[in-house]
Every structure is written in C-alpha cells, then in structure tokens.
Amino acid sequence: MLQKFSYKKASSVQDAVALSAAPGAHIFAGGSDLLGCLRDGVYEAKTVVSLSSIAELKGIGPKPGGGLRIGALSTLSEIAGHQQVKEQYRALAEAASSVASPQLRNQGTLGGNLCQRPRCWYFRGDFPCRRKGGDTCFAETGENQFHAILGWDRCYMVHPSDTASALVALGARVTIAGPKGRRTIPLESFFILPKVSIVKENVLTPGEVVTEILLDAPPPGLRSTYRKVRERGAFDFATAGAAIAVTVVEGKVAAARVVLSGVAAAPWRSVDAEKALLGKSLDNATVEAAAQAAVKDAVPLEKNAYKIAMVRGILEETLLRLATA
Ligand SMILES: Cc1cc2nc3c(=O)[nH]c(=O)nc-3n(C[C@H](O)[C@H](O)[C@H](O)COP(=O)(O)OP(=O)(O)OC[C@H]3O[C@@H](n4cnc5c(N)ncnc54)[C@H](O)[C@@H]3O)c2cc1C
C-alpha cells in the first residue's frame, strides 16, 4: 500500500534544493520508480518534492560552445525521438528507446532514469538486505542469475539504467545543484560502487538535484551504438548490454569508450577493452581481443557465469557492426 506523505511542488531549482534537503524528503520527477518504491516499502518518504513546474529542467537544446544540453526533466521518449540525438549521439537514442515500455518512456525522465534505485529482487522485496541497512546480501547465495559479475563487494546488484551506460560512453557530464551551489562532473564519476557506499548508487547528498546532462559536439568519425540483451522482447531491464563509442580515423580506432550494462553496480567502463581497440582496425582479431579483455576480471556468482560469454558475444557482434557503420 502507498504510504502517506506530503506533496510539495518546487517552483525553482533553488526551491527544490531547499525542500529536498529536509529529512525524509525525496525528489519526484516522473514518479515511475519513486512511487513503486514507496508502495513496496523499499524506503519511506515524509515529503515528495515535485520538479514538474521547473522550466529550467526541461528541454533539449544547444549547449553553449557546441554540443547538446539535455534538461533533467526531458522524458526518455523526447530523447529517443530527438533528431540531433539520433544523428549525432546514436548510442543515447538507442538506449533511451530500449527502456521499459512506451508509457514508461513518456513518463520517465532522464534525471529519474539515472537516479533510479536498483532492481535486485531482494532489495525491492521484503528482505532486510545490506543496501537497506541490513547485514546480509541475500543474492550472495540466493537467486543471483541477474546479478553482478564485475566490481561487486558485499552487494551484487547491477545498475538498472540503460541511458547511464550510453551517456558514460559518450563522455557526458552532469550538473548538480545543491545547498553549496552547482557543480558539473563527468557522469562517469557520478555513479559509485559498493566499495564506496553500499547504501547508495551515486554521489548525490541530501538536497542535491540533477539539473542537466551535457554532451560535447561529436568528434569527426564518431560511431556509437547501444546493444541490450534482455530475457524477453517486451519491456525488460538489461541482462547485459554495451554502449560503445569509437572514433575511427583513416580506418583505425583513434578513441574508444566501452561501457557495459547489467554487469556491475555502476555503468562499467572497460578500459582494457578500450586499450585493445586503440590504433587498430575493427577486424575479427581486434574485436575478439577487446571482448576478451572486457571480461578478464569478471568473477561470477553461482548462477550468472553465462553473463561472461554473453558480454563477449555482445561486444564482438556490436564492434563488428560498428566497423561497417
Ligand atoms: C516496469 C518497468 C520497467 C523498466 N524498464 C527499464 C529498462 O529497461 N531500462 C531502464 O533504464 N529503466 C527501466 N525502468 C526504470 C524507468 O526507466 C525509471 O523508472 C524512470 O526512468 C525513472 O524516471 P522518473 O522520472 O519516473 O523518476 P522518479 O521515479 O521520479 O525518480 C526516480 C529516482 O530518482 C530520483 N530523482 C529523479 N529525478 C531526479 C533529479 N533530477 N535529481 C535528483 N534525483 C532525482 C528520485 O528521488 C527517485 O529516487 C523501468 C521501470 C519500470 C517500472
């Protein structure tokens, strides 16, 4: 049952910061994750602070100096359908259009997608797990077929966001407004692993609000894509996925970012796979070496070793597809 909470509509970013800094306050963007968590008792809210009236958080448009600014309240449908996103930041358009269902993409915002809570069934269920302040990870020896193979430490959840991996691959930055002012940081350092905190997924502290995502103008020769494997053809989270952005100059990879989904508690950037691509042409030997490098440190649980082969396959197929893109 949905618990009782008070509802406040912030009139500006400053107002949202002040209201959401109060104990027990949670930000409400589209509500598609927040309300499910409150209904299922994953956490409680004294107050929810709606961002919906804040014009500054809406819209997709040019970034001063080139590139794109995406307001945190932009819906996933808006992003998936945006012409410039489709043409210049294809991985993001593909990731946004792979999220959930059309209804959820119409309701869900980019800020909410990046800040959504984990989908581990023990975290979402009636289990006092470590991420909820308990002292047990039930996935460790339980039903762990969808859990992490990389970067785990006492908690084995995987980050649920598709757009997060695509944006990290594209080198996006995020602006955060908070009680101490604004800061813009690489999105890559927004997400944190369980070794940094076992109870939160990002660097936000009380009162901090994501206001925008910034993308630089794409370099000449950029090719990007997002590949997601899920259990069924209808809406579903990534069992595993990969966002890849490579810059190809005169047939050779001049820059590469390879970011995996569904394998770790944060979008997982594989620097080893990137190194295997640099300076090479995207031929069979190179993509096999990169795919192998991406999983060389993977440590599976009892029921998810299949993810290692799955990630290798996703990377080989996707990189070869990018070779002729
Ligand atoms: C059935 C189902 C299937 C789904 N499938 C997928 C999928 O395949 N891939 C995928 O990526 N996602 C999936 N999702 C998640 C969905 O994309 C998110 O629920 C949605 O993007 C959240 O956006 P929202 O605006 O509704 O966020 P809300 O529910 O309003 O907020 C989500 C969280 O983010 C916080 N928050 C929101 N905006 C901000 C902000 N600007 N600054 C700081 N904190 C903020 C809120 O406090 C809350 O904790 C699925 C969800 C459902 C219910």
Side-chain angles (χ1 to χ4, degrees), residues 26-35 43 51 57 72 76 98-100 104 107-113 115-117 119 160-163 204 208-211 228 230 235-238:
H26 288 268
I27 288 168
F28 182 118
S32 64
D33 180 50
L34 176 76
L35 294 178
Y43 54 84
L51 304 179
L57 300 182
L76 297 162
S98 80
V99 171
L104 283 158
Q107 183 69 17
T109 65
L110 183 59
N113 190 256
C115 299
Q116 62 177 303
R117 301 304 313 274
R119 285 279 158 181
S161 168
D162 291 301
T163 62
L204 293 180
E208 288 196 314
V209 180
V210 170
T211 61
K228 170 175 175 176
R230 48 190 145 183
F235 62 85
D236 211 349
F237 291 87

Side-chain angles (χ1 to χ4, degrees), residues 148-150 152 298-308:
I149 55 170
L150 284 158
W152 48 259
V299 182
L301 299 162
E302 189 190 343
K303 297 180 179 162
N304 68 3
Y306 72 92
K307 283 197 182 189
I308 295 178

Side-chain angles (χ1 to χ4, degrees), residues 34-76:
L34 176 76
L35 294 178
C37 287
L38 296 181
R39 183 201 55 207
D40 295 341
V42 178
Y43 54 84
E44 292 179 356
K46 265 192 183 161
T47 314
V48 303
V49 179
S50 169
L51 304 179
S52 66
S53 298
I54 308 177
E56 183 195 329
L57 300 182
K58 298 179 185 169
I60 305 175
K63 172 172 85 58
L68 207 61
R69 174 201 181 268
I70 307 178
L73 277 184
S74 305
T75 65
L76 297 162

